[in-house]
Amino acid sequence: MSTGAEVVVNRLLAEGVDVCFANPGTSEMHFVAALDAAPAMRPVLCLFEGVATGAADGYARIAGRPAATLLHLGPGMANGLANLHNARRAFSPVVNVVGDHATYHQALDAPLESDIDALARWAHGSVHRPESAADLDAAVHAAVQSATSTPGRVATLILPADYSWGSEPQKPVRDNLVGQQGSSPDHTDTLDLAGAAELLRAQGERAVLLLGGAATGVGGLQAAARIRAATGARVLVETFPARLARGQGVPAIERLGYLAEQATQQLAGSTHLVLVGARSPVSFFAYPGKPSVLVPDGTEVRNLAIDELARLAGELGGQLPNTPQPDPVELPTGTLNPQNLAQVIAALLPENAIISDEANTSGVFLPAATASSPRHDVLTLTGGAIGQGLPVAVGAAIAAPDRPVIALQSDGSAAYTISALWTMAREHLDVTVVILNNHAYAILQLELLRVGTQADGERSRSLLDLSRPDIDFASIAEGFGVPATRAGTAQELADQFRAALAEPGPHLIDAALPTWSPG
Amino acid sequence: MSTGAEVVVNRLLAEGVDVCFANPGTSEMHFVAALDAAPAMRPVLCLFEGVATGAADGYARIAGRPAATLLHLGPGMANGLANLHNARRAFSPVVNVVGDHATYHQALDAPLESDIDALARWAHGSVHRPESAADLDAAVHAAVQSATSTPGRVATLILPADYSWGSEPQKPVRDNLVGQQGSSPDHTDTLDLAGAAELLRAQGERAVLLLGGAATGVGGLQAAARIRAATGARVLVETFPARLARGQGVPAIERLGYLAEQATQQLAGSTHLVLVGARSPVSFFAYPGKPSVLVPDGTEVRNLAIDELARLAGELGGQLPNTPQPDPVELPTGTLNPQNLAQVIAALLPENAIISDEANTSGVFLPAATASSPRHDVLTLTGGAIGQGLPVAVGAAIAAPDRPVIALQSDGSAAYTISALWTMAREHLDVTVVILNNHAYAILQLELLRVGTQADGERSRSLLDLSRPDIDFASIAEGFGVPATRAGTAQELADQFRAALAEPGPHLIDAALPTWSPG
């Protein structure tokens, strides 16, 4: 039995499309896996979607036939649009394969959800959205036919993840996925102050407050901590807050986990979920056989206005717990790894810093380590469209010239918008960039397992691997005018981080982590 | 009397928006000029639109108020979309200012034309398209109000160039701009073989054949040269062909000029324009007081199918003129400049090369120089969305592994999709990249004059200047795994170009040109 992705790859090959310029993500992992069994298809990894689409254009102009691109949902398509515009003007045949969320996941407004069709139509091309997994073969045929009809155009096949997984129709794990608990605050009843107080008093730890938006500043976190102290209610922060206050004097409140497995555990046993500026939590992606909605069955979801949070804390009589100051993290030694890297950052983080956090997999130890650091703000990847960490650091540094900005940046995402370094140099912004360089799209190596593929072939692995050649970010930074160093040990990182913070203007540290592999 | 752009800048300032993350183009030149008189507005140049939008997001998360972005038409907006998606998810207030063609130019389907509104809507924000120049002040106010309404969103102001130029309504230079000659072949009568032969015999040099699409290969160019020999008709190639055959054995046929002034001269005195796979020519941008349609008044426009071209040459009895082989270009000496750079490339261009040409202003001497080079193909920037040259070279090299690929790449455009170098390294593609590094958005320095602004202030100039710091492309290339050198003289370029061609795999040469300034 073929997966849907195998049907797509084989039909592309049958139609004469045997090169694929790829920048895949989780929703394209079955396509990646299908390449292992299709040696005739040449996958070419590009570090940014605009490279993939421009390469497909150049390929068509010389080969006289289309290549495929492999793009990751709407944001991936968006990054490829400008060169699709050039391809349209060249009348180049191009076949985009754009992964989409599983069909039943699309209504949940998960972070990467957007109107892919609108982007595909923008390039004046044809849009092919198969009706079912059984329709895939015909949809690929139609897309290639459209691309290669005279005088040539851009055809876009939108490939929902569940169609990729199997030829059999996929059912959501629960029938009540959509709408029941509501995917946005708009669809959920709002509590007033008295109602909220009553609910939290009655439910105690069976109630969960989920903080988002403006509720993740110091005031909101303190109010929530007082409510927790008064009622025993659980308190969580949304997975990817726009701006989160942290460090000394700020109540440490756990974030809802990125992995659905973690989030499910954090919400288990709740009877009520109270959203304070947050959305009702859904899984980032859909996974075969796993629920997309993270709210437990039977848990009721309510809203509470952010403005009510402090009043509610007063009403409930909660006092800010006098938690002992955690011990400062000590400077570690040894070859760099994600754990001691986090310890170095935490130990040396200056007062009032802003962290632009696009550390992704390599940043897993950061939250625990920095809880005892001086007061700081963390800006996270709110929409899942990678390549924001360096630009956000630019903006933060211009907004707050007196605060040190630290960009914790994974290697794969850094390549998207690397020219942000030049603006840091020109504007002499006080940004310290630490590249967490594990030479891989590590998160995709993890996701390849999580979506249940058996892929372990060289071809699929090659699309997740950023070595061959290794990227030397220090050299790139110097090219853009930013002084840069390389760190291979915790001591080196500490010395370089301290020096970068002490000197005004931008610096980059290329922190060599072990090449990531799952398990 | 304020220009419209000054109204926009002043209203932004009055609303508290005093930072602008900018990546401007020709349609934004009046906005750039307006910055000289508005010292309270801080312009921050970004080398790619995704940096500008991400910076605006980061700014808003820290400052709690919006910054503006300055983006260049639809393709510029497209490049900024992914980080606008993240901004939307962060509920960050952002005010995009997106330049558009002059209102009367929009229907002409000029190369950079696209549906900007569709892109702006994609980010779930508000779209503000003023009805007239008099409406600008209100439109800016509405955009800022929308962006800053709770909980914050992305607002996009679409700013037509003619509204930027002045507060008075602008009229097209001719009343018959739109539709008359037709902006695409679909709207134009098609000649049959007999009709075409009759027309060309009767009109001689008063007829112009404009070749585009598949007509710019060797076969099409030879047929056109035979027709020219038989009838005296003028023959031109469209300004930005997808793939143009050139060099020894290929008839040298001039391209229609990028500057409207050139094109007008090339088409002067024609009674008939015959489009062979090309569109009816329009100006790339609109300019105050200059016509947008380049077809002379009274010239009739007809189509001819590309397939008919060779038959027509036979019917007319034209022979391929036995033009003397032009003398090979000799290797020049001296400090590098655009002229001797072109001579080096032309003298050393290998047989059967593919040139990916995004040389822009620095490439002005290339066509004349390479006419005597061995047979080669040139791939140009068809849609005007910069950042395609390196990706197109990747695709061309994969399509034709036995042909040398030369990417002639201007510095400003190279920064857009610079990570294409890594794919060249991984795939060991035989691409020689020559960066024509003049440390400037030189074309915009030219356009700033052409649109009639008087800007000569430090602030406007700074947005067109890529020095401070200079970009060291050799260092960046090494960082992405591509061996690189720097050339400051014609001899150095020749030595390095020869060496790069002799060795398989990718190489980059950072060719230091004089810092460009107009006039």
Side-chain angles (χ1 to χ4, degrees):
Chain A
M1 188 69 194
S2 297
T3 66
E6 288 166 350
V7 170
V8 171
V9 171
N10 289 330
R11 171 50 59 188
L12 284 170
L13 285 170
E15 303 273 350
V17 179
D18 57 9
V19 171
C20 177
F21 297 100
N23 186 268
T26 299
S27 38
E28 294 76 40
M29 283 300 105
H30 278 75
F31 190 104
V32 168
L35 295 171
D36 285 330
M41 179 66 77
R42 178 176 180 182
V44 178
L45 180 58
C46 301
L47 300 187
F48 178 69
E49 292 87 349
V51 176
T53 54
D57 180 13
Y59 179 91
R61 293 197 209 180
I62 294 300
R65 59 201 178 90
T69 67
L70 183 64
L71 309 173
H72 185 46
L73 297 106
M77 180 94 196
N79 282 333
L81 279 185
N83 276 334
L84 292 175
H85 171 86
N86 289 321
R88 151 171 112 80
R89 286 283 171 173
F91 297 106
S92 292
V94 173
V95 179
N96 298 313
V97 178
V98 183
D100 195 2
H101 283 311
T103 49
Y104 58 81
H105 197 79
Q106 291 165 16
L108 299 180
D109 200 26
L112 279 163
E113 182 66 35
S114 77
D115 184 354
I116 303 173
D117 300 61
L119 298 179
R121 281 193 298 268
W122 180 80
H124 291 222
S126 56
V127 183
H128 306 268
R129 198 180 255 286
E131 301 272 320
S132 69
D135 190 30
L136 282 174
D137 193 69
V140 175
H141 174 73
V144 178
Q145 288 295 306
S146 171
T148 55
S149 61
T150 306
R153 66 175 55 79
V154 175
T156 299
L157 174 74
I158 299 175
L159 183 57
D162 51 340
Y163 297 176
S164 281
W165 299 337
S167 314
E168 293 300 304
Q170 298 282 319
K171 278 195 191 147
V173 177
R174 297 189 212 156
D175 291 334
N176 59 353
L177 276 180
V178 178
Q180 192 224 26
Q181 285 106 354
S183 60
S184 84
D186 302 343
H187 303 127
T188 310
D189 286 342
T190 296
L191 294 165
D192 61 15
L193 190 61
E198 186 183 355
L199 186 153
L200 293 173
R201 281 199 189 99
Q203 299 298 329
E205 67 174 1
R206 292 188 303 273
V208 178
L209 255 67
L210 182 62
L211 310 180
T216 62
V218 175
L221 297 173
Q222 288 182 340
R226 290 168 62 199
I227 294 168
R228 177 169 63 187
T231 64
R234 283 178 264 174
V235 182
L236 293 167
V237 166
E238 63 184 345
T239 310
F240 292 108
R243 175 178 176 168
L244 176 64
R246 296 203 80 236
Q248 292 167 15
V250 181
I253 295 183
E254 229 179 25
R255 279 159 66 181
L256 192 71
Y258 164 74
L259 299 177
E261 300 86 319
Q262 304 169 294
T264 302
Q265 202 166 14
Q266 290 169 302
L267 297 172
S270 62
T271 56
H272 290 78
L273 175 63
V274 180
L275 306 174
V276 189
R279 293 157 192 253
S280 192
V282 299
S283 174
F284 208 83
F285 296 103
Y287 298 92
K290 292 182 185 160
S292 285
V293 167
L294 300 178
V295 181
D297 254 338
T299 297
E300 293 184 34
V301 181
R302 298 285 183 272
N303 277 313
L304 179 70
I306 295 173
D307 292 347
E308 298 282 20
L309 206 57
R311 277 192 285 270
L312 179 61
E315 169 78 20
L316 291 167
Q319 298 300 311
L320 198 59
N322 198 356
T323 44
Q325 194 64 38
D327 290 334
V329 172
E330 293 198 11
L331 277 174
T333 58
T335 305
L336 263 188
N337 59 44
Q339 198 155 8
N340 61 23
L341 181 143
Q343 289 166 342
V344 171
I345 303 296
L348 299 179
L349 198 70
E351 188 72 43
N352 209 22
I354 297 167
I355 294 179
S356 173
D357 177 7
E358 198 173 28
N360 302 345
T361 40
S362 298
V364 66
F365 297 105
L366 283 163
T370 54
S372 60
S373 297
R375 166 89 178 75
H376 60 280
D377 286 300
V378 179
L379 314 181
T380 81
L381 182 58
T382 49
I386 62 174
Q388 82 151 26
L390 300 179
V392 158
V394 166
I398 291 199
D402 299 331
R403 297 179 64 180
V405 176
I406 323 290
L408 303 177
Q409 182 64 46
S410 62
D411 51 340
S413 310
Y416 273 52
T417 44
I418 191 71
S419 74
L421 294 171
W422 183 85
T423 299
M424 293 179 193
R426 167 168 279 198
E427 300 290 332
H428 201 63
L429 302 179
D430 195 17
V431 180
T432 301
V433 177
V434 180
I435 301 286
L436 290 78
N437 194 344
N438 61 8
H439 315 290
Y441 286 129
I443 193 149
L444 296 184
Q445 297 183 345
L446 179 67
E447 297 285 12
L448 192 64
L449 301 177
R450 292 181 73 218
V451 298
T453 74
Q454 302 299 316
D456 59 357
E458 193 197 336
R459 302 161 66 74
S460 59
R461 291 280 164 188
S462 77
L463 286 182
L464 314 181
D465 162 58
L466 298 180
S467 63
R468 303 179 296 114
D470 280 332
I471 303 174
D472 178 348
F473 283 96
S475 184
I476 294 171
E478 298 273 3
F480 280 119
V482 171
T485 52
R486 293 179 194 85
T489 66
Q491 296 94 319
E492 286 168 2
L493 177 62
D495 291 344
Q496 294 169 16
F497 191 59
R498 207 185 272 115
L501 292 170
E503 192 175 75
H507 298 82
L508 180 141
I509 302 167
D510 190 353
L513 295 174
T515 298
W516 202 89
S517 71
Chain B
M1 187 71 195
S2 296
T3 66
E6 287 166 349
V7 170
V8 171
V9 170
N10 289 330
R11 171 50 59 189
L12 285 169
L13 285 169
E15 304 273 349
V17 179
D18 57 9
V19 171
C20 176
F21 296 100
N23 187 268
T26 300
S27 38
E28 294 77 40
M29 282 302 103
H30 277 75
F31 190 103
V32 168
L35 296 172
D36 284 330
M41 177 67 77
R42 178 176 180 181
V44 179
L45 180 58
C46 301
L47 299 187
F48 179 68
E49 293 87 348
V51 176
T53 54
D57 180 12
Y59 179 91
R61 294 196 209 180
I62 294 300
R65 60 201 177 90
T69 67
L70 183 64
L71 309 174
H72 185 45
L73 296 107
M77 179 95 196
N79 283 333
L81 279 184
N83 276 334
L84 291 176
H85 171 86
N86 289 320
R88 151 171 111 81
R89 285 285 171 173
F91 297 106
S92 292
V94 174
V95 179
N96 298 312
V97 178
V98 183
D100 194 2
H101 284 310
T103 48
Y104 58 82
H105 197 79
Q106 291 166 16
L108 298 179
D109 200 26
L112 280 163
E113 181 66 35
S114 76
D115 184 355
I116 303 173
D117 299 62
L119 299 179
R121 281 193 298 268
W122 180 80
H124 291 222
S126 56
V127 183
H128 307 267
R129 198 180 255 286
E131 301 274 318
S132 70
D135 190 30
L136 283 173
D137 193 69
V140 175
H141 174 72
V144 178
Q145 288 295 306
S146 172
T148 54
S149 61
T150 306
R153 66 175 56 78
V154 175
T156 300
L157 173 75
I158 300 175
L159 183 57
D162 50 340
Y163 296 177
S164 281
W165 300 337
S167 314
E168 292 301 302
Q170 298 283 319
K171 276 194 193 150
V173 177
R174 297 188 212 156
D175 291 335
N176 59 354
L177 276 179
V178 179
Q180 192 224 30
Q181 286 105 354
S183 60
S184 85
D186 302 344
H187 302 128
T188 310
D189 285 342
T190 296
L191 294 165
D192 61 15
L193 190 59
E198 186 182 355
L199 185 152
L200 294 172
R201 280 200 190 98
Q203 299 300 327
E205 66 174 2
R206 293 188 303 274
V208 178
L209 256 67
L210 182 62
L211 310 179
T216 62
V218 175
L221 297 173
Q222 288 182 338
R226 291 168 61 199
I227 294 167
R228 177 169 62 185
T231 65
R234 283 179 264 174
V235 181
L236 292 166
V237 166
E238 63 184 345
T239 311
F240 292 109
R243 175 180 175 167
L244 175 65
R246 297 204 79 237
Q248 291 167 13
V250 182
I253 294 183
E254 227 179 27
R255 278 159 66 181
L256 191 71
Y258 164 74
L259 300 177
E261 300 86 319
Q262 303 169 296
T264 302
Q265 201 166 15
Q266 290 169 301
L267 298 172
S270 61
T271 57
H272 290 79
L273 175 63
V274 180
L275 306 173
V276 190
R279 294 157 192 251
S280 192
V282 299
S283 175
F284 209 83
F285 295 104
Y287 298 92
K290 292 182 187 162
S292 285
V293 167
L294 300 178
V295 182
D297 254 338
T299 297
E300 294 184 33
V301 182
R302 299 285 183 271
N303 277 313
L304 180 71
I306 295 172
D307 293 348
E308 299 282 20
L309 206 57
R311 276 191 286 272
L312 179 61
E315 170 78 19
L316 292 167
Q319 299 298 312
L320 200 59
N322 198 355
T323 45
Q325 194 65 38
D327 292 334
V329 172
E330 293 197 12
L331 277 174
T333 58
T335 304
L336 264 187
N337 59 44
Q339 198 156 8
N340 62 23
L341 182 144
Q343 290 166 341
V344 171
I345 303 296
L348 299 178
L349 198 70
E351 188 71 43
N352 210 21
I354 297 167
I355 294 179
S356 174
D357 177 7
E358 198 173 26
N360 302 346
T361 40
S362 298
V364 66
F365 297 104
L366 283 162
T370 54
S372 60
S373 298
R375 164 91 177 76
H376 60 280
D377 286 299
V378 179
L379 314 180
T380 80
L381 181 58
T382 49
I386 62 174
Q388 81 151 26
L390 300 179
V392 158
V394 165
I398 289 195
D402 299 332
R403 298 180 65 179
V405 176
I406 323 290
L408 302 177
Q409 182 66 45
S410 62
D411 51 340
S413 310
Y416 274 53
T417 45
I418 192 70
S419 73
L421 294 171
W422 182 86
T423 299
M424 294 180 193
R426 167 168 278 197
E427 301 289 332
H428 201 63
L429 302 179
D430 196 16
V431 179
T432 302
V433 177
V434 180
I435 301 285
L436 290 79
N437 194 345
N438 62 8
H439 316 289
Y441 287 129
I443 194 151
L444 295 185
Q445 297 184 344
L446 180 66
E447 297 286 12
L448 193 63
L449 300 177
R450 293 182 72 220
V451 298
T453 73
Q454 301 300 317
D456 59 357
E458 194 197 336
R459 301 162 67 75
S460 58
R461 291 277 164 191
S462 78
L463 286 182
L464 314 180
D465 162 58
L466 299 178
S467 63
R468 300 180 297 116
D470 280 331
I471 303 174
D472 177 347
F473 284 97
S475 184
I476 293 171
E478 299 273 3
F480 281 120
V482 170
T485 52
R486 292 178 195 88
T489 66
Q491 297 94 320
E492 286 169 3
L493 177 63
D495 291 345
Q496 294 168 16
F497 191 58
R498 207 185 272 115
L501 293 169
E503 192 175 75
H507 298 80
L508 180 140
I509 303 167
D510 190 353
L513 295 175
T515 298
W516 202 89
S517 71

